[in-house]
mmCIF file of all heavy atoms in Angstrom:
data_model
loop_
_atom_site.group_PDB
_atom_site.id
_atom_site.type_symbol
_atom_site.label_atom_id
_atom_site.label_comp_id
_atom_site.label_asym_id
_atom_site.label_seq_id
_atom_site.Cartn_x
_atom_site.Cartn_y
_atom_site.Cartn_z
ATOM 1 N N LEU U 1 -151.163 48.477 75.978
ATOM 2 C CA LEU U 1 -149.868 47.819 75.766
ATOM 3 C C LEU U 1 -149.502 47.079 76.932
ATOM 4 O O LEU U 1 -148.939 45.850 76.741
ATOM 5 C CB LEU U 1 -148.855 49.000 75.590
ATOM 6 C CG LEU U 1 -147.377 48.455 75.678
ATOM 7 C CD1 LEU U 1 -147.125 47.589 74.313
ATOM 8 C CD2 LEU U 1 -146.456 49.704 75.705
ATOM 9 N N VAL U 2 -149.661 47.544 78.234
ATOM 10 C CA VAL U 2 -149.362 46.849 79.414
ATOM 11 C C VAL U 2 -150.162 45.399 79.408
ATOM 12 O O VAL U 2 -149.683 44.381 79.648
ATOM 13 C CB VAL U 2 -149.710 47.607 80.683
ATOM 14 C CG1 VAL U 2 -149.577 46.775 81.856
ATOM 15 C CG2 VAL U 2 -148.693 48.776 80.665
ATOM 16 N N LEU U 3 -151.592 45.577 79.091
ATOM 17 C CA LEU U 3 -152.406 44.389 79.128
ATOM 18 C C LEU U 3 -151.922 43.319 78.002
ATOM 19 O O LEU U 3 -151.701 42.134 78.301
ATOM 20 C CB LEU U 3 -153.787 44.702 78.782
ATOM 21 C CG LEU U 3 -154.583 45.301 79.951
ATOM 22 C CD1 LEU U 3 -155.984 45.782 79.422
ATOM 23 C CD2 LEU U 3 -154.771 44.342 81.067
ATOM 24 N N THR U 4 -151.496 43.867 76.961
ATOM 25 C CA THR U 4 -150.992 42.965 75.815
ATOM 26 C C THR U 4 -149.628 42.368 76.295
ATOM 27 O O THR U 4 -149.489 41.080 76.030
ATOM 28 C CB THR U 4 -150.814 43.759 74.515
ATOM 29 O OG1 THR U 4 -152.195 44.300 74.123
ATOM 30 C CG2 THR U 4 -150.350 42.777 73.391
ATOM 31 N N TYR U 5 -148.835 43.135 76.865
ATOM 32 C CA TYR U 5 -147.516 42.586 77.270
ATOM 33 C C TYR U 5 -147.628 41.575 78.355
ATOM 34 O O TYR U 5 -146.909 40.506 78.334
ATOM 35 C CB TYR U 5 -146.637 43.719 77.699
ATOM 36 C CG TYR U 5 -145.140 43.383 77.639
ATOM 37 C CD1 TYR U 5 -144.479 43.647 76.461
ATOM 38 C CD2 TYR U 5 -144.392 42.823 78.627
ATOM 39 C CE1 TYR U 5 -143.170 43.289 76.241
ATOM 40 C CE2 TYR U 5 -143.081 42.442 78.395
ATOM 41 C CZ TYR U 5 -142.534 42.731 77.211
ATOM 42 O OH TYR U 5 -141.191 42.329 77.094
ATOM 43 N N LEU U 6 -148.580 41.730 79.274
ATOM 44 C CA LEU U 6 -148.875 40.785 80.343
ATOM 45 C C LEU U 6 -149.329 39.378 79.633
ATOM 46 O O LEU U 6 -148.902 38.265 80.007
ATOM 47 C CB LEU U 6 -149.789 41.246 81.312
ATOM 48 C CG LEU U 6 -149.296 42.409 82.305
ATOM 49 C CD1 LEU U 6 -150.358 42.894 83.103
ATOM 50 C CD2 LEU U 6 -148.183 41.762 83.108
ATOM 51 N N ALA U 7 -150.174 39.595 78.690
ATOM 52 C CA ALA U 7 -150.687 38.393 77.937
ATOM 53 C C ALA U 7 -149.574 37.664 77.294
ATOM 54 O O ALA U 7 -149.522 36.427 77.333
ATOM 55 C CB ALA U 7 -151.799 38.745 77.082
ATOM 56 N N VAL U 8 -148.781 38.490 76.601
ATOM 57 C CA VAL U 8 -147.605 37.943 75.819
ATOM 58 C C VAL U 8 -146.641 37.116 76.858
ATOM 59 O O VAL U 8 -146.211 36.047 76.576
ATOM 60 C CB VAL U 8 -146.830 39.004 75.161
ATOM 61 C CG1 VAL U 8 -145.466 38.493 74.608
ATOM 62 C CG2 VAL U 8 -147.575 39.542 73.905
ATOM 63 N N ALA U 9 -146.363 37.756 78.029
ATOM 64 C CA ALA U 9 -145.532 37.163 79.120
ATOM 65 C C ALA U 9 -146.082 35.774 79.472
ATOM 66 O O ALA U 9 -145.362 34.873 79.684
ATOM 67 C CB ALA U 9 -145.357 38.054 80.182
ATOM 68 N N ALA U 10 -147.384 35.676 79.702
ATOM 69 C CA ALA U 10 -148.038 34.543 80.165
ATOM 70 C C ALA U 10 -147.881 33.413 79.082
ATOM 71 O O ALA U 10 -147.529 32.315 79.391
ATOM 72 C CB ALA U 10 -149.533 34.839 80.357
ATOM 73 N N TYR U 11 -148.131 33.755 77.764
ATOM 74 C CA TYR U 11 -147.945 32.737 76.749
ATOM 75 C C TYR U 11 -146.568 32.392 76.641
ATOM 76 O O TYR U 11 -146.202 31.132 76.388
ATOM 77 C CB TYR U 11 -148.565 33.280 75.369
ATOM 78 C CG TYR U 11 -149.965 33.164 75.152
ATOM 79 C CD1 TYR U 11 -150.783 34.432 75.229
ATOM 80 C CD2 TYR U 11 -150.555 32.052 75.090
ATOM 81 C CE1 TYR U 11 -152.155 34.349 75.080
ATOM 82 C CE2 TYR U 11 -152.020 31.929 74.830
ATOM 83 C CZ TYR U 11 -152.731 33.079 74.861
ATOM 84 O OH TYR U 11 -154.021 32.948 74.701
ATOM 85 N N TYR U 12 -145.588 33.291 76.726
ATOM 86 C CA TYR U 12 -144.187 33.023 76.666
ATOM 87 C C TYR U 12 -143.762 32.044 77.618
ATOM 88 O O TYR U 12 -142.982 31.025 77.327
ATOM 89 C CB TYR U 12 -143.426 34.448 76.840
ATOM 90 C CG TYR U 12 -141.894 34.321 76.726
ATOM 91 C CD1 TYR U 12 -141.372 34.242 75.461
ATOM 92 C CD2 TYR U 12 -141.253 34.201 77.738
ATOM 93 C CE1 TYR U 12 -139.869 34.192 75.303
ATOM 94 C CE2 TYR U 12 -139.758 34.183 77.664
ATOM 95 C CZ TYR U 12 -139.203 34.076 76.445
ATOM 96 O OH TYR U 12 -137.762 34.072 76.323
ATOM 97 N N VAL U 13 -144.140 32.202 78.870
ATOM 98 C CA VAL U 13 -143.713 31.287 79.911
ATOM 99 C C VAL U 13 -144.401 29.932 79.641
ATOM 100 O O VAL U 13 -143.666 28.861 79.764
ATOM 101 C CB VAL U 13 -144.013 31.904 81.328
ATOM 102 C CG1 VAL U 13 -143.889 30.802 82.414
ATOM 103 C CG2 VAL U 13 -143.183 32.994 81.645
ATOM 104 N N ALA U 14 -145.690 29.888 79.349
ATOM 105 C CA ALA U 14 -146.395 28.679 79.106
ATOM 106 C C ALA U 14 -145.813 27.916 78.012
ATOM 107 O O ALA U 14 -145.478 26.627 78.113
ATOM 108 C CB ALA U 14 -147.835 29.071 78.881
ATOM 109 N N LEU U 15 -145.528 28.546 76.889
ATOM 110 C CA LEU U 15 -144.890 27.981 75.746
ATOM 111 C C LEU U 15 -143.507 27.246 76.100
ATOM 112 O O LEU U 15 -143.213 26.259 75.573
ATOM 113 C CB LEU U 15 -144.776 28.792 74.471
ATOM 114 C CG LEU U 15 -146.175 29.145 73.884
ATOM 115 C CD1 LEU U 15 -145.937 30.226 72.784
ATOM 116 C CD2 LEU U 15 -146.733 27.800 73.200
ATOM 117 N N HIS U 16 -142.751 28.120 76.725
ATOM 118 C CA HIS U 16 -141.429 27.567 77.126
ATOM 119 C C HIS U 16 -141.418 26.406 78.091
ATOM 120 O O HIS U 16 -140.626 25.535 78.087
ATOM 121 C CB HIS U 16 -140.552 28.750 77.641
ATOM 122 C CG HIS U 16 -139.947 29.583 76.595
ATOM 123 N ND1 HIS U 16 -140.818 30.410 75.893
ATOM 124 C CD2 HIS U 16 -138.730 29.575 76.054
ATOM 125 C CE1 HIS U 16 -139.968 31.061 74.943
ATOM 126 N NE2 HIS U 16 -138.764 30.569 75.060
ATOM 127 N N VAL U 17 -142.383 26.460 79.009
ATOM 128 C CA VAL U 17 -142.540 25.289 79.983
ATOM 129 C C VAL U 17 -142.876 24.042 79.177
ATOM 130 O O VAL U 17 -142.369 22.970 79.408
ATOM 131 C CB VAL U 17 -143.580 25.595 81.031
ATOM 132 C CG1 VAL U 17 -144.061 24.331 81.759
ATOM 133 C CG2 VAL U 17 -143.143 26.643 82.019
ATOM 134 N N VAL U 18 -143.883 24.199 78.204
ATOM 135 C CA VAL U 18 -144.146 23.089 77.409
ATOM 136 C C VAL U 18 -143.018 22.470 76.598
ATOM 137 O O VAL U 18 -142.798 21.385 76.485
ATOM 138 C CB VAL U 18 -145.391 23.320 76.475
ATOM 139 C CG1 VAL U 18 -145.734 22.314 75.451
ATOM 140 C CG2 VAL U 18 -146.710 23.515 77.342
ATOM 141 N N ALA U 19 -142.307 23.491 75.968
ATOM 142 C CA ALA U 19 -141.128 23.072 75.093
ATOM 143 C C ALA U 19 -139.984 22.382 76.042
ATOM 144 O O ALA U 19 -139.436 21.457 75.563
ATOM 145 C CB ALA U 19 -140.519 24.345 74.443
ATOM 146 N N SER U 20 -139.936 22.853 77.218
ATOM 147 C CA SER U 20 -138.911 22.328 78.060
ATOM 148 C C SER U 20 -139.365 20.917 78.545
ATOM 149 O O SER U 20 -138.472 20.010 78.506
ATOM 150 C CB SER U 20 -138.789 23.162 79.342
ATOM 151 O OG SER U 20 -137.977 22.590 80.251
ATOM 152 N N ARG U 21 -140.658 20.821 78.746
ATOM 153 C CA ARG U 21 -141.122 19.389 79.182
ATOM 154 C C ARG U 21 -141.072 18.304 78.158
ATOM 155 O O ARG U 21 -140.661 17.270 78.346
ATOM 156 C CB ARG U 21 -142.529 19.659 79.762
ATOM 157 C CG ARG U 21 -143.113 18.302 80.188
ATOM 158 C CD ARG U 21 -142.599 17.799 81.424
ATOM 159 N NE ARG U 21 -143.283 16.567 81.830
ATOM 160 C CZ ARG U 21 -142.843 15.344 81.715
ATOM 161 N NH1 ARG U 21 -141.743 15.105 81.155
ATOM 162 N NH2 ARG U 21 -143.630 14.291 82.185
ATOM 163 N N PHE U 22 -141.566 18.741 76.932
ATOM 164 C CA PHE U 22 -141.745 17.742 75.925
ATOM 165 C C PHE U 22 -140.658 17.617 74.797
ATOM 166 O O PHE U 22 -140.516 16.684 74.192
ATOM 167 C CB PHE U 22 -143.178 17.860 75.310
ATOM 168 C CG PHE U 22 -144.231 17.570 76.231
ATOM 169 C CD1 PHE U 22 -145.008 18.700 76.638
ATOM 170 C CD2 PHE U 22 -144.558 16.419 76.643
ATOM 171 C CE1 PHE U 22 -146.079 18.539 77.485
ATOM 172 C CE2 PHE U 22 -145.549 16.171 77.493
ATOM 173 C CZ PHE U 22 -146.287 17.269 77.923
ATOM 174 N N PHE U 23 -139.803 18.660 74.687
ATOM 175 C CA PHE U 23 -138.937 18.749 73.522
ATOM 176 C C PHE U 23 -137.498 18.933 74.016
ATOM 177 O O PHE U 23 -136.673 19.331 73.212
ATOM 178 C CB PHE U 23 -139.341 19.799 72.597
ATOM 179 C CG PHE U 23 -140.699 19.642 72.090
ATOM 180 C CD1 PHE U 23 -141.735 20.443 72.405
ATOM 181 C CD2 PHE U 23 -140.935 18.572 71.212
ATOM 182 C CE1 PHE U 23 -143.034 20.284 71.880
ATOM 183 C CE2 PHE U 23 -142.244 18.481 70.687
ATOM 184 C CZ PHE U 23 -143.202 19.274 71.028
ATOM 185 N N ASP U 24 -137.308 18.859 75.329
ATOM 186 C CA ASP U 24 -135.910 18.943 75.914
ATOM 187 C C ASP U 24 -135.312 20.362 75.436
ATOM 188 O O ASP U 24 -134.174 20.481 75.176
ATOM 189 C CB ASP U 24 -135.032 17.911 75.319
ATOM 190 C CG ASP U 24 -134.284 17.235 76.424
ATOM 191 O OD1 ASP U 24 -134.510 17.488 77.532
ATOM 192 O OD2 ASP U 24 -133.277 16.570 76.142
ATOM 193 N N TYR U 25 -136.060 21.450 75.494
ATOM 194 C CA TYR U 25 -135.722 22.779 75.129
ATOM 195 C C TYR U 25 -135.551 23.450 76.503
ATOM 196 O O TYR U 25 -136.687 23.897 77.129
ATOM 197 C CB TYR U 25 -136.631 23.416 74.153
ATOM 198 C CG TYR U 25 -136.305 24.912 73.926
ATOM 199 C CD1 TYR U 25 -135.237 25.103 73.059
ATOM 200 C CD2 TYR U 25 -136.949 25.907 74.389
ATOM 201 C CE1 TYR U 25 -135.023 26.541 72.649
ATOM 202 C CE2 TYR U 25 -136.682 27.209 74.165
ATOM 203 C CZ TYR U 25 -135.754 27.451 73.219
ATOM 204 O OH TYR U 25 -135.417 28.776 72.884
ATOM 205 N N HIS U 26 -134.506 23.744 77.096
ATOM 206 C CA HIS U 26 -134.274 24.335 78.360
ATOM 207 C C HIS U 26 -133.819 25.755 78.380
ATOM 208 O O HIS U 26 -132.863 25.974 79.215
ATOM 209 C CB HIS U 26 -133.350 23.395 79.194
ATOM 210 C CG HIS U 26 -133.948 22.016 79.326
ATOM 211 N ND1 HIS U 26 -135.124 21.751 80.103
ATOM 212 C CD2 HIS U 26 -133.525 20.799 78.831
ATOM 213 C CE1 HIS U 26 -135.346 20.406 79.894
ATOM 214 N NE2 HIS U 26 -134.463 19.860 79.256
ATOM 215 N N THR U 27 -134.352 26.587 77.597
ATOM 216 C CA THR U 27 -133.923 27.844 77.518
ATOM 217 C C THR U 27 -135.084 28.857 77.452
ATOM 218 O O THR U 27 -135.838 28.961 76.523
ATOM 219 C CB THR U 27 -133.014 28.167 76.151
ATOM 220 O OG1 THR U 27 -131.992 27.263 76.077
ATOM 221 C CG2 THR U 27 -132.422 29.574 76.152
ATOM 222 N N LEU U 28 -135.233 29.684 78.554
ATOM 223 C CA LEU U 28 -136.272 30.685 78.548
ATOM 224 C C LEU U 28 -135.699 31.961 77.987
ATOM 225 O O LEU U 28 -136.391 32.602 77.274
ATOM 226 C CB LEU U 28 -136.690 30.911 80.085
ATOM 227 C CG LEU U 28 -137.872 31.705 80.293
ATOM 228 C CD1 LEU U 28 -139.041 31.164 79.506
ATOM 229 C CD2 LEU U 28 -138.160 31.961 81.756
ATOM 230 N N VAL U 29 -134.463 32.271 78.271
ATOM 231 C CA VAL U 29 -133.767 33.281 77.728
ATOM 232 C C VAL U 29 -132.469 32.815 76.978
ATOM 233 O O VAL U 29 -131.773 32.089 77.623
ATOM 234 C CB VAL U 29 -133.235 34.434 78.797
ATOM 235 C CG1 VAL U 29 -132.469 35.458 78.183
ATOM 236 C CG2 VAL U 29 -134.370 34.942 79.472
ATOM 237 N N PRO U 30 -132.327 32.972 75.695
ATOM 238 C CA PRO U 30 -131.186 32.442 75.022
ATOM 239 C C PRO U 30 -129.891 32.662 75.766
ATOM 240 O O PRO U 30 -129.678 33.786 76.136
ATOM 241 C CB PRO U 30 -131.160 33.103 73.698
ATOM 242 C CG PRO U 30 -132.685 33.431 73.426
ATOM 243 C CD PRO U 30 -133.145 33.702 74.823
#
């Protein structure tokens, strides 16, 4: 579970950085 959660967190941050950069989506936490 911890390993999966760390992988999820890495994808979460990466996807939000991409969304912020290219789609003007500036919310990591709603």
Side-chain angles (χ1 to χ4, degrees):
L1 173 69
V2 171
L3 285 174
T4 303
Y5 206 88
L6 290 173
V8 168
Y11 279 110
Y12 182 81
V13 170
L15 287 171
H16 279 74
V17 166
V18 169
S20 175
R21 175 70 176 105
F22 294 108
F23 302 108
D24 227 15
Y25 178 77
H26 300 293
T27 304
L28 189 58
V29 176

